[in-house]
Amino acid sequence: MLFSVQSGLLDACVLAVIAKNKTYGYKLTQEIKEIMEISDSTLYPVLKRLQKKGFVTSYNEIYDGRNRRYYEITKQGLKQNELNVNEWIQYRKTVNAIFNM
């Protein structure tokens, strides 16, 4: 891809996926990788950042004898996701206006 994904945009994308449904780390990584090129190790620092900001919480659950860490959006995360969506819409309009000049 010609354009790189900066951390702020990646944070917003991950938060948007979690806003749709709680998920565990590996599944989240696979969902994001279907959309954009990222390495497996890229996502965990993003999740830690989102947790530190209070946008997501995590909990462990046993599945098939293995421990999975699930991530779920918080009320504060929902508000941030709404801000991200509105900001993206405005950003997209601005860039489209430039490209369509």
Side-chain angles (χ1 to χ4, degrees), residues 45-98:
V46 172
L47 291 167
K48 289 208 182 279
R49 255 192 322 271
L50 294 174
Q51 279 185 288
K52 189 174 181 180
K53 292 177 180 179
F55 297 157
V56 299
T57 59
S58 67
Y59 62 92
N60 295 324
E61 196 171 288
I62 302 296
Y63 179 82
D64 269 349
R66 299 183 73 187
N67 192 39
R68 279 188 180 167
R69 180 163 296 237
Y70 283 83
Y71 297 89
E72 192 169 30
I73 196 161
T74 63
K75 287 182 182 180
Q76 186 177 353
L78 287 171
K79 289 177 186 176
Q80 183 62 45
N81 186 58
E82 187 176 333
L83 289 172
N84 292 345
V85 169
N86 291 332
E87 183 72 22
W88 178 255
I89 290 168
Q90 187 57 48
Y91 183 80
R92 187 176 63 203
K93 285 179 184 177
T94 302
V95 173
N96 284 342
I98 293 169

Side-chain angles (χ1 to χ4, degrees), residues 16-24 27-28 31 71-73:
V17 171
I18 297 172
K20 291 177 183 154
N21 199 11
K22 68 180 180 181
T23 189
Y24 57 96
K27 183 179 177 192
L28 178 62
E31 289 177 23
Y71 297 89
E72 192 169 30
I73 196 161

